[in-house]
C-alpha cells in the first residue's frame, strides 16, 4: 500500500483579509475533510488600519488559524513591519513566516522551496525584495548534487517570466509580467508544483516536461498555478486544493508519467527570449515574401484608426492540439521508430506512407500549425535541416521537392520527396 497523500491548500494574495480566508478554509474542511497544510503566496498582510486590527487578534491569540499556515514575506514596503526577521519565524499560533528564501522539508519528506518578495532593481535589495544572490544561493546547493531530481513545491511571490510560452495564455497583459530570475529558478529546480501570486488573476498552465524527448531520460512534469486575491470582485479562484505524495516516496515509473496535454518546457529557450518577444517583429515568411505587400498595407490606414494610439502586437503563440497529435514527440500517438534525427527545435522522420524512395518529413517538436507560426529559432533550425537534406540528395545525383502539409493533425510537416532524374529541370531545392 502506497504512502497516504498529503492534502494541501494554496492561497493567493490575502492582503489582510485573514478572517475571510480562514472562514473559507473552515467551510472547505467541514465539507471535504481536514487538510494538512495551507501555503499563502503574494501579499499576506494588508496596508489598511482595518487589516492591521484584524491581524492583532491573531497575534494576541484571541483568534487562531484553523490549519497550519505558512506564508511568504513582504512584497511591498508597507507590510515589511509585520516580519521581524528575514530568516522566518512563527508570527502567531499556526501561522509561520517561511523567510526570504530557503527550502523547507516537512516530517513527511515533502520538500518546498520558496522565494519571498519582488526582484530587486537596485543594490542593496530592499527588505521586500530578493536579489540575484538570493536565487543563486538557494539554487546552487540543490542542483549541484548529482542525485538531484527536483522539489515537490516551489512558492514564489512573483511569476516566472515566459511561463505561458507553448501553453495556454493567461487573461492578463504579459509584457511586464514575471521575472527572468524566477523563470531560471523554476527551470533549474524542476518543481512538481509552482505557485505564485501578485498579478490578481487565476492561471493554471498546462503541465510541461522537464526533459528533452528521446534525448534525455523521462522526468516528472511541472505545473504552474497562479492564484487571485482573496475575496476578489471578479470571483476568480484564489484557493487551490490538491493531494500530493512526496517525490522521495513515489515509484519512479509513476512519478515520470506524462499527461496527454503536456507541453514543451517554457524556459528552455530563455536565452532567445528577447528575440521572441519583440512585439513589432514581422511573422517569418518561408515560401514567399510578403514584404512588398506589407509596405503597401502600411501606407493605408482605416479612417477609424486615425488619431488613435497604436496597440502593441502580442507575440504569436503556437496553438495547442485539441487531442492526441500524431506528430508531437510527447504524444503517445507518435511512431518513434520512424524518427531519424532530433534537434533542439525540430526533428526528422521517415514518412509512413512514402510517395518516393527516401521520402522524409521535417517537423517542429512543438505543436505549430504552419511555417508562418514558427519563432525565429525554429525557422533557423528548419533551414539547417533543409540545407543538410539538399546536400545529401545532391551528393547522390538527385533533387528533391519540398512542400508544407498539416492535414488533419494541424501540426506542420515539411514533406521532402526525392527525385533522381531532375537535372534537366530547374532545381526546386
Amino acid at each position: 500500500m502506497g504512502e497516504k497523500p498529503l492534502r494541501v491548500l494554496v492561497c493567493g494574495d490575502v492582503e489582510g483579509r485573514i478572517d475571510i480566508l480562514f472562514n473559507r478554509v473552515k467551510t472547505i474542511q467541514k465539507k471535504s475533510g481536514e487538510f494538512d497544510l495551507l501555503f499563502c503566496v503574494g501579499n499576506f498582510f494588508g496596508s489598511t488600519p482595518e487589516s492591521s486590527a484584524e491581524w492583532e487578534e491573531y497575534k494576541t491569540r484571541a483568534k487562531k488559524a484553523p490549519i497550519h499556515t505558512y506564508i511568504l514575506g513582504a512584497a511591498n514596503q508597507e507590510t515589511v513591519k509585520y516580519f521581524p526577521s528575514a530568516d522566518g519565524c512563527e508570527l502567531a499560533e499556526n501561522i509561520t513566516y517561511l523567510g526570504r528564501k530557503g527550502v523547507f522539508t516537512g516530517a513527511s519528506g515533502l520538500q518546498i522551496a520558496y522565494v519571498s518578495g519582488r526582484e530587486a532593481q537596485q543594490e542593496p535589495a530592499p527588505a521586500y525584495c530578493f536579489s540575484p544572490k538570493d536565487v543563486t544561493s538557494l539554487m546552487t546547493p540543490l542542483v549541484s548534487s548529482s542525485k538531484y531530481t527536483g522539489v515537490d513545491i516551489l512558492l514564489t511571490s512573483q511569476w516566472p517570466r515566459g511561463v505561458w510560452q507553448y501553453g495556454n495564455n493567461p487573461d492578463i497583459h504579459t509584457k511586464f509580467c514575471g521575472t527572468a530570475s524566477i523563470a531560471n529558478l523554476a527551470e533549474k529546480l524542476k518543481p512538481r508544483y509552482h505557485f505564485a501570486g501578485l498579478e490578481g488573476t487565476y492561471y493554471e498552465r498546462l503541465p510541461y516536461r522537464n526533459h528533452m524527448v528521446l534525448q534525455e531520460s523521462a522526468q516528472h512534469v511541472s505545473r504552474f498555478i497562479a492564484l487571485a486575491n482573496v475575496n476578489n470582485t471578479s470571483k476568480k479562484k484564489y484557493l487551490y486544493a490538491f493531494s500530493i505524495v512526496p517525490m522521495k516516496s513515489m515509484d519512479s515509473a509513476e512519478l515520470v508519467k506524462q499527461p496527454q496535454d503536456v507541453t514543451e518546457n517554457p524556459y528552455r529557450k530563455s536565452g532567445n527570449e528577447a528575440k521572441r518577444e519583440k512585439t513589432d517583429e514581422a511573422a517569418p515568411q518561408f515560401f514567399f515574401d510578403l514584404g512588398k505587400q506589407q509596405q503597401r498595407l502600411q501606407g493605408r490606414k482605416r479612417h477609424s484608426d486615425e488619431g488613435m494610439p497604436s496597440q502593441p502586437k502580442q507575440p504569436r503563440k503556437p496553438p495547442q492540439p485539441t487531442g492526441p497529435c500524431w506528430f508531437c514527440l510527447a504524444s503517445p500517438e507518435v511512431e518513434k521508430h520512424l524518427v531519424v534525427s532530433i534537434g533542439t527545435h525540430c526533428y526528422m522522420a521517415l514518412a509512413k506512407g512514402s510517395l518516393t524512395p527516401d521520402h522524409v518529413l521535417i517537423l517542429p517538436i512543438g505543436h505549430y500549425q504552419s511555417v508562418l507560426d514558427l519563432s525565429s529559432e525554429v525557422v533557423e533550425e528548419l533551414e539547417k535541416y533543409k540545407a543538410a537534406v539538399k546536400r545529401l540528395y545532391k551528393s547522390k545525383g538527385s533533387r528533391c521537392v519540398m512542400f508544407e502539409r498539416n492535414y488533419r493533425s494541424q501540426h506542420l510537416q515539411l514533406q521532402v520527396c526525392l527525385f533522381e532524374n531532375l537535372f534537366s529541370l530547374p532545381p526546386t531545392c
Side-chain angles (χ1 to χ4, degrees):
M1 184 175 177
E3 184 172 329
K4 182 181 178 182
L6 289 167
R7 305 185 72 209
V8 181
L9 290 170
V10 184
C11 178
D13 299 70
V14 181
E15 295 183 328
R17 303 181 186 94
I18 304 172
D19 284 342
I20 293 175
L21 168 63
F22 288 150
N23 287 336
R24 177 62 179 155
V25 170
K26 289 176 184 176
T27 301
I28 292 173
Q29 294 198 125
K30 186 176 180 179
K31 181 179 179 180
S32 304
E34 295 293 313
F35 280 78
D36 299 291
L37 300 166
L38 168 63
F39 295 110
C40 298
V41 295
N43 275 311
F44 183 79
F45 294 105
S47 54
T48 65
E50 293 78 13
S51 63
S52 179
E54 191 170 309
W55 166 245
E56 197 64 26
E57 294 184 276
Y58 289 90
K59 187 177 178 181
T60 59
R61 298 181 180 246
K63 291 182 178 179
K64 176 184 174 182
I67 186 174
H68 292 295
T69 304
Y70 296 87
I71 71 173
L72 294 182
N76 57 46
Q77 184 60 51
E78 291 79 8
T79 58
V80 169
K81 62 183 180 181
Y82 293 104
F83 300 94
S85 169
D87 298 326
C89 59
E90 184 178 79
L91 300 178
E93 188 174 3
N94 266 1
I95 302 177
T96 301
Y97 163 47
L98 287 169
R100 175 178 285 193
K101 49 87 181 174
V103 179
F104 168 73
T105 304
S108 64
L110 189 73
Q111 193 171 48
I112 302 104
Y114 55 89
V115 176
S116 296
R118 301 178 183 271
E119 183 177 46
Q121 303 299 314
Q122 62 197 40
E123 288 287 352
Y128 62 93
C129 295
F130 63 88
S131 67
K133 291 180 181 178
D134 290 325
V135 175
T136 302
S137 64
L138 167 62
M139 183 170 56
T140 303
L142 292 171
V143 302
S144 59
S145 171
S146 59
K147 297 181 179 179
Y148 180 77
T149 55
V151 295
D152 291 300
I153 298 173
L154 172 62
L155 305 174
T156 62
S157 300
Q158 285 187 294
W159 288 30
R161 180 71 180 155
V163 66
W164 48 86
Q165 302 290 344
Y166 313 121
N168 47 315
N169 292 324
D171 62 357
I172 58 173
H173 188 45
T174 58
K175 186 174 182 180
F176 301 107
C177 177
T179 68
S181 59
I182 295 296
N184 183 49
L185 180 68
E187 180 186 8
K188 298 296 191 298
L189 292 190
K190 304 176 185 177
R192 294 166 64 196
Y193 287 88
H194 179 182
F195 295 94
L198 295 186
E199 296 296 338
T201 193
Y202 169 69
Y203 170 61
E204 183 168 4
R205 191 201 185 280
L206 292 170
Y208 62 87
R209 66 177 68 89
N210 286 298
H211 64 277
M212 297 184 71
V213 178
L214 298 185
Q215 297 187 48
E216 299 173 336
S217 299
Q219 298 181 46
H220 62 273
V221 301
S222 292
R223 291 173 168 84
F224 174 77
I225 298 109
L227 294 160
N229 301 7
V230 168
N231 203 37
N232 63 89
T233 56
S234 300
K235 305 296 182 183
K236 294 180 179 179
K237 188 171 183 176
Y238 65 83
L239 201 56
Y240 187 92
F242 69 108
S243 297
I244 185 171
V245 174
M247 184 183 296
K248 72 167 196 172
S249 302
M250 288 189 68
D251 176 72
S252 57
E254 184 69 23
L255 178 64
V256 302
K257 278 186 176 178
Q258 306 289 300
Q260 285 196 355
D261 58 350
V262 69
T263 76
E264 292 296 319
N265 190 309
Y267 314 122
R268 188 73 70 175
K269 304 172 188 175
S270 57
N272 295 317
E273 187 175 21
K275 293 181 182 178
R276 267 202 319 275
E277 299 206 359
K278 275 187 177 180
T279 56
D280 59 346
E281 184 178 66
Q285 306 297 323
F286 183 64
F287 290 116
F288 49 87
D289 184 8
L290 292 178
K292 294 182 180 179
Q293 181 180 356
Q294 290 171 348
Q295 289 174 5
R296 289 198 301 270
L297 291 174
Q298 287 172 357
R300 298 197 316 228
K301 184 185 292 184
R302 293 182 303 173
H303 293 294
S304 60
D305 289 340
E306 293 180 358
M308 297 293 289
S310 60
Q311 297 296 321
K313 294 181 181 178
Q314 292 298 308
R316 190 188 300 261
K317 301 292 191 304
Q320 292 303 308
T322 55
C325 175
W326 303 335
F327 302 105
C328 286
L329 276 180
S331 171
E333 303 295 321
V334 71
E335 300 190 50
K336 294 183 172 66
H337 67 283
L338 297 174
V339 175
V340 176
S341 167
I342 301 177
T344 304
H345 310 294
C346 301
Y347 74 97
M348 179 183 287
L350 297 174
K352 187 174 181 180
S354 59
L355 301 177
T356 65
D358 296 326
H359 179 184
V360 296
L361 310 179
I362 305 174
L363 312 99
I365 292 175
H367 189 85
Y368 293 89
Q369 188 171 2
S370 73
V371 173
L372 295 179
D373 290 328
L374 299 180
S375 56
S376 56
E377 58 266 30
V378 182
V379 172
E380 182 180 353
E381 187 165 287
L382 192 70
E383 291 288 351
K384 290 180 180 179
Y385 266 106
K386 286 173 58 184
V389 170
K390 291 177 189 178
R391 289 194 299 269
L392 172 64
Y393 287 167
K394 189 173 182 179
S395 69
K396 300 170 71 172
S398 304
R399 289 288 188 269
C400 64
V401 172
M402 296 184 182
F403 59 95
E404 180 180 341
R405 188 173 186 261
N406 63 4
Y407 176 64
R408 292 185 67 184
S409 75
Q410 295 191 341
H411 189 123
L412 164 66
Q413 310 138 46
L414 187 63
Q415 307 276 337
V416 185
C417 296
L418 169 70
F419 292 93
E420 296 183 353
N421 298 309
L422 292 182
F423 282 103
S424 58
L425 299 176
T428 58
C429 67

